[in-house]
Amino acid sequence: MMSQPSPSSESGNTVRELSVPDVPYVALARSRAYILTPDGEVKEFKPEEASRHLHKKQAITCHAPYTSRRLNLKMWQPFDLLELFVFTYPGRFCVPTPTGLLKSVGLVTNADSLSGEDVVMGLFEAARIMLGDVVKEDPDKIIPMVEVMGLNGRGWPWAPFVIESFGQSYDPKKPLIAKSSMNIWKNLPEWSEDAPPPPPGQEEVSEEESLNRLSELLSAKHSKPEPRPQQKDYAARMTAAFKALQDEGAPNLVLAEAGTGVGKTMGYLAPASVWAEKNEGAVWISTYTKSLQRQIDTELDSLYPEKDLKKAHVAVRKGRENYLCLLNLEEKATSAAIARDPNQPVALGIMARWAEVSEEGDMTGRDFPSWLSSLLGYQHTIGLADRRGECIYSACDHYHRCFVEKSIRKSKRARLVVANHAVVMIQSVLASPADQMPERYVFDEGHHLFDAADSAFSSHLTGREAYDLRRWLKG
């Protein structure tokens, strides 16, 4: 067994030796496959040779679907280190490669000089580190969850080893109660209704204030910011959009265009942030793509370098299809113990672990691994969002813990809201005369605004949607 050199796991005054699977480790590097045998020997193979060596055998690797495709083989119940990583460290960033995994667990800082032998040996060390770190969690919460993921021996191959890390034995015949074992939503914080904020003031933003703020933002981002007169001119001209309104129904409108590299984002963030602070109101910054939303959110780190301050003043708004639906998660948990697909309880446990630590529940956000759907399947990850308009709102048991509702209420108290054209348009469609709408908008990627408006103010009914409508009407 490879368990002899494993590190110890401490729990109270008890010291235990961690056991790791007695199977080969596989790493792909430089068009070669490196295999660490249970005897501790590292062998180098060509891909076709490794395929014959590992065919229908258990092995430990990083990103099993990718490894299987590269080697053109089918491994029997592979131990995927990425699954163990996201379960042990939910919300931690990791590049889904062997060297990325080694960096994320702290084994290396520079992986460029690593040989294939170093990488596959590092995977062995990474497995031991993760099995040692998982015991820092509450065993009363983790062990029942892992038992469900094990699916009575048919599911997660890591289950026996995770449970043994806690000093307990895995019983594949133990009856499973999936819903209570995965019930993480009971510990999620609830949002509460606040009194509506007072209307914002109407103090204007001068060009001098805008340029001073631009200088602050650039200095916070770069020690020696590059002088860009076009960016200053852009920021100065944008202040016209933040002057006091003269006539009701006649907004201040600025149409601004600048070439690539001018620094438009900082150019409009400068006057927008000044106006929001002076008037204690919200400026909505609307984009068309999620990538630009992430970019703007990152740029705002220069304005609010302290995490808590940024959390209080900045909100990111996206459509419901981007957020984990707790009701969908509960429905999956109800059937996990009898699932035919062994990936379902595995993915459910990993998604439950992530939902516990995620602040936004945003599956297109910073803390969600975008590669997780390729690892566990779309239907068990991204597919848990409300993508077909089935939300029952306040009738849902999880309404006061809902990530979407939480983001909506956070945006009402924020100074800067990073949204997208679709959300802005839908909000305009659904708003009632009593609703207090934002008074200042910045539309980035404005050439896409017409497409978003067409989508929001039109409707279509596909055959699948008509079928679902009939099913709902007939009960």
Side-chain angles (χ1 to χ4, degrees):
M1 287 288 291
M2 284 184 167
S3 58
Q4 285 79 9
S6 298
S8 299
S9 173
E10 298 184 10
S11 179
N13 297 323
T14 304
V15 179
R16 301 183 302 276
E17 289 294 324
L18 295 175
S19 63
V20 294
D22 187 19
V23 299
Y25 286 71
V26 186
L28 301 177
R30 300 175 180 87
S31 302
R32 289 290 187 271
Y34 295 86
I35 298 178
L36 173 63
T37 68
D39 297 329
E41 181 183 2
V42 177
K43 296 182 179 181
E44 180 181 346
F45 294 95
K46 293 181 179 179
E48 59 272 15
E49 295 172 343
S51 177
R52 291 192 297 268
H53 188 79
L54 297 170
H55 184 62
K56 292 188 177 179
K57 294 181 181 178
Q58 281 190 303
I60 297 176
T61 188
C62 178
H63 207 307
Y66 173 77
T67 304
S68 297
R69 288 194 300 269
R70 281 288 306 274
L71 298 180
N72 192 25
L73 65 87
K74 183 176 182 181
M75 291 182 287
W76 178 65
Q77 283 191 318
F79 292 82
D80 200 324
L81 288 167
L82 283 178
E83 293 178 357
L84 184 60
F85 178 87
V86 291
F87 184 83
T88 306
Y89 314 112
R92 182 187 292 189
F93 175 79
C94 178
V95 177
T97 62
T99 53
L101 179 68
L102 299 185
K103 286 182 179 180
S104 297
V105 299
L107 279 173
V108 297
T109 54
N110 183 9
D112 295 336
S113 60
L114 292 180
S115 65
E117 293 86 349
D118 295 332
V119 173
V120 75
M121 290 295 296
L123 295 184
F124 174 54
E125 294 295 332
R128 299 192 304 167
I129 290 173
M130 290 186 282
L131 288 172
D133 286 348
V134 75
V135 299
K136 298 175 183 178
E137 302 289 339
D138 181 8
D140 294 334
K141 177 184 69 176
I142 294 296
I143 292 177
M145 184 181 294
V146 173
E147 288 174 339
V148 174
M149 295 170 68
L151 200 62
N152 298 121
R154 298 180 293 110
W156 202 33
W158 286 109
F161 300 93
V162 172
I163 293 176
E164 287 175 14
S165 299
F166 288 93
Q168 299 187 28
S169 299
Y170 175 63
D171 182 6
K173 297 181 180 180
K174 183 177 179 180
L176 302 178
I177 307 176
K179 186 174 180 178
S180 59
S181 300
M182 298 287 184
N183 186 7
I184 55 92
W185 43 84
K186 64 180 180 182
N187 298 320
L188 295 179
E190 296 187 2
W191 53 262
S192 57
E193 293 284 6
D194 297 326
Q202 293 297 329
E203 292 190 44
E204 297 185 351
V205 178
S206 66
E207 292 187 5
E208 182 181 1
E209 289 175 316
S210 180
L211 294 177
N212 289 338
R213 176 58 55 86
L214 176 64
S215 178
E216 293 173 8
L217 293 174
L218 295 177
S219 298
K221 187 177 181 181
H222 306 286
S223 56
K224 293 182 179 180
E226 176 187 356
R228 286 189 280 186
Q230 297 93 340
Q231 187 181 39
K232 292 183 178 180
D233 185 48
Y234 184 90
R237 291 174 180 271
M238 285 295 292
T239 57
F242 298 95
K243 294 185 178 297
L245 300 177
Q246 300 298 324
D247 300 315
E248 185 176 355
N252 297 324
L253 180 64
V254 174
L255 294 176
E257 184 178 6
T260 303
V262 170
K264 298 185 290 294
T265 302
M266 286 296 189
Y268 61 68
L269 283 179
S273 59
V274 172
W275 186 92
E277 290 180 9
K278 291 181 67 174
N279 296 284
E280 296 185 354
V283 177
W284 278 56
I285 301 166
S286 179
T287 72
Y288 187 68
T289 61
K290 295 173 185 175
S291 59
L292 185 55
Q293 269 189 296
R294 286 191 293 268
Q295 177 187 330
I296 296 171
D297 186 31
T298 302
E299 297 282 13
L300 287 172
D301 291 341
S302 302
L303 181 62
Y304 300 111
E306 296 182 10
K307 184 178 179 180
D308 291 339
L309 191 62
K310 182 181 178 183
K311 184 178 178 181
H313 293 315
V314 176
V316 178
R317 279 293 311 277
K318 299 178 182 178
R320 290 181 175 272
E321 68 278 3
N322 295 282
Y323 296 90
L324 174 68
C325 174
L326 295 175
L327 185 59
N328 286 343
L329 186 69
E330 182 184 4
E331 289 179 352
K332 288 284 186 180
T334 303
S335 60
I338 57 173
R340 294 184 178 181
D341 182 1
N343 284 331
Q344 178 178 332
V346 176
L348 179 64
I350 291 174
M351 291 297 295
R353 289 278 290 155
W354 171 76
E356 280 187 300
V357 302
S358 176
E359 293 184 1
E360 307 290 342
D362 180 7
M363 291 189 285
T364 59
R366 292 183 178 184
D367 61 3
F368 185 80
S370 58
W371 42 262
L372 203 55
S373 59
S374 66
L375 198 70
L376 303 173
Y378 174 89
Q379 69 273 24
H380 303 315
T381 52
I382 306 296
L384 293 177
D386 174 23
R387 291 180 169 269
R388 291 162 59 189
E390 294 181 339
C391 182
I392 55 177
Y393 299 95
S394 59
C396 178
D397 291 338
H398 308 295
Y399 181 67
H400 287 281
R401 298 184 178 92
C402 176
F403 290 116
V404 179
E405 298 297 330
K406 194 181 301 182
S407 71
I408 292 174
R409 281 148 186 83
K410 181 181 178 182
S411 66
K412 294 180 179 179
R413 303 187 300 271
R415 288 179 177 174
L416 296 171
V417 181
V418 185
N420 56 61
H421 298 345
V423 169
V424 171
M425 292 299 161
I426 292 297
Q427 183 174 261
S428 302
V429 171
L430 300 179
S432 67
D435 291 336
Q436 182 176 327
M437 299 292 288
E439 294 189 4
R440 293 292 190 278
Y441 292 93
V442 176
F443 291 102
D444 203 337
E445 298 179 314
H447 55 288
H448 290 295
L449 194 58
F450 302 101
D451 294 333
D454 289 343
S455 299
F457 291 94
S458 63
S459 61
H460 70 279
L461 196 63
T462 65
R464 179 61 181 268
E465 289 168 340
Y467 171 80
D468 287 338
L469 177 62
R470 177 179 178 272
R471 178 172 60 87
W472 277 101
L473 292 175
K474 297 187 68 175

